[in-house]
Amino acid sequence: MDLYEHQARQLFEEHGIPVPRAEVTDSPRQARAIARGLGGRVVVKAQVRTGGRGKAGGVRLAEDPAAAERTARQILGMDIKGHPVRAVMLAQPVDIESEFYVSYVLDRSAGRFLAIASAEGGTEIEEVAATRPELVTRIPVDPAEGVTSAKATEIVREAGLPPRAADVLIRLWQVLTREDALLVEVNPLVRTTQGQIVALDGKVTLDDNARFRQARWGEQGATQTDRLEAAAAAKGLNYVKLDGEVGVIGNGAGLVMSTLDVVAGCGARPANFLDIGGGASARIMSDGLSVVLSDPDVRSVLVNVFGGITACDAVADGIVRALDTVRPTKPLVVRLDGNNAARGRAVLGERAHPLVHQATTMDEAARLAARLADTT
């Protein structure tokens, strides 16, 4: 459950982390009034649950209330990486001397949390970690011990942060533990020209399992951050967006995971994880295919089904139904095996759609899907 920046900022403020004065609105006219109340000169920031807002034009400086209204009108309604901007936050600008990065994230493999900090804030930490990994400090945090004054001092010293940042690190840990968070991040954490330590931007991801304790965020806070994941969830599908070009659909999490590995082994990248379940109907198959085909990153789709509870002819019926409604422009590779597989293959053969290719084995299907993605 990802929070918007203004919601993360609210948590920071509640736990004593300094933040600039700010207000949120969905009205350009109200933006003018807010700017006037904040002193006139403000930063107008799109409120969407994705990074890269600045590069997309979603973060701009307005010199006066009239400019704030114009800027809010320009930003509201923008689409940033598939996320429509429905609200903006207006914040007082600060005079920045230095920028830093700090976060706590759950390290599932190690069964503990990880403090990540860098004196190079204000940029994408992934880029810094990839090009200059020596500038990113990673320090394990024992959940039972937490971030004490000594641990905060260690993080500050190792990362080259100003000593006064230690208090923010302690309070940021309180946000993590008291608010059921899996990730808390401040980028940038800044030192102003007056020597203050201020959190300018924040990201907080709450644990879905603790949603019953986080009711104040309502359904708005629980909405999926990805457009396709939200569409899939509305259809009751188990879908996760990935950074690839081959869409993957299968029945059963184990089969889907194996398919992802085989696709990767063929030199391609999976675009998603989509499990239609052990008893998927033709309607579910049709819904899943329409979600995957609506992903602009997908260049080919691999449907890998082993018929058990799910009969392959029902899957084939779903594919045919989707072909009649979605009108795909991307090739589909279908591998059916198991219960009623021959009948399912016959259904697809009778439809004879020019974009549908059949394969008899998973390896053959993955190779074909990878090749089609490379040439599409």
Side-chain angles (χ1 to χ4, degrees), residues 180-194:
D180 300 308
L182 300 175
L183 164 72
V184 292
E185 175 185 273
V186 181
N187 188 29
L189 179 70
V190 305
R191 178 170 53 199
T192 69
T193 53
Q194 293 79 33

Side-chain angles (χ1 to χ4, degrees), residues 15 19 41-42 46 56 70 87 99 116 121 160 196 201 260 266 277 302 318 328 337 353 366 368:
H15 288 272
V19 294
R41 189 168 181 259
V42 294
R70 289 194 303 271
E99 298 184 344
I116 304 175
Q196 297 175 305
D201 196 353
L260 299 183
C266 293
L302 171 54
D337 198 6
H353 194 286
L368 180 55

Side-chain angles (χ1 to χ4, degrees), residues 153-233:
T153 300
E154 177 190 355
I155 297 169
V156 162
R157 182 180 64 252
E158 293 296 323
L161 306 183
R164 294 182 64 179
D167 181 65
V168 170
L169 288 169
I170 294 172
R171 295 177 184 275
L172 197 65
W173 178 258
Q174 293 172 358
V175 174
L176 182 86
T177 55
R178 296 178 184 177
E179 304 296 339
D180 300 308
L182 300 175
L183 164 72
V184 292
E185 175 185 273
V186 181
N187 188 29
L189 179 70
V190 305
R191 178 170 53 199
T192 69
T193 53
Q194 293 79 33
Q196 297 175 305
I197 302 297
V198 179
L200 285 197
D201 196 353
K203 179 178 180 180
V204 174
T205 299
L206 304 182
D207 188 344
D208 282 342
N209 295 312
R211 190 173 296 172
F212 69 97
R213 286 201 296 257
Q214 301 296 333
R216 63 167 163 163
W217 305 118
E219 289 303 313
Q220 182 188 35
T223 302
Q224 281 81 6
T225 62
D226 183 87
R227 172 183 60 85
L228 293 171
E229 289 182 1

Side-chain angles (χ1 to χ4, degrees), residues 13 154 192 317 336 354 366:
E13 190 171 29
E154 177 190 355
T192 69
D317 286 337
L336 301 176

Side-chain angles (χ1 to χ4, degrees), residues 7 162 255-256 258 305 353:
Q7 295 170 326
L255 180 61
V256 178
S258 297
V305 171
H353 194 286

Side-chain angles (χ1 to χ4, degrees), residues 102-142:
V102 295
S103 72
Y104 297 117
V105 62
L106 177 62
D107 184 351
R108 295 182 186 276
S109 62
R112 61 191 179 192
F113 284 91
L114 192 64
I116 304 175
S118 175
E120 296 291 323
T123 58
E124 295 184 9
I125 194 64
E126 295 85 359
E127 181 180 337
V128 175
T131 57
R132 293 179 291 171
E134 71 279 3
L135 298 181
V136 180
T137 298
R138 297 173 175 82
I139 296 179
V141 178
D142 184 344

Side-chain angles (χ1 to χ4, degrees), residues 274-361:
L274 176 53
D275 173 17
I276 60 174
S281 64
R283 178 190 60 79
I284 292 176
M285 183 67 237
S286 177
D287 287 344
L289 199 52
S290 58
V291 169
V292 173
L293 288 170
S294 65
D295 183 351
D297 296 330
V298 167
R299 298 177 187 172
S300 70
V301 179
L302 171 54
V303 179
N304 187 19
V305 171
F306 184 85
I309 299 174
T310 303
C312 290
D313 56 337
V315 171
D317 286 337
I319 294 172
V320 169
R321 185 185 304 178
L323 294 174
D324 291 335
T325 57
V326 179
R327 301 185 184 280
T329 58
K330 304 158 186 176
L332 277 69
V333 179
V334 182
R335 179 252 182 171
L336 301 176
D337 198 6
N339 184 14
N340 285 351
R343 190 180 304 171
R345 296 189 197 107
V347 169
L348 295 178
E350 290 173 8
R351 181 64 172 81
H353 194 286
L355 289 176
V356 175
H357 308 264
Q358 296 198 56
T360 56
T361 68

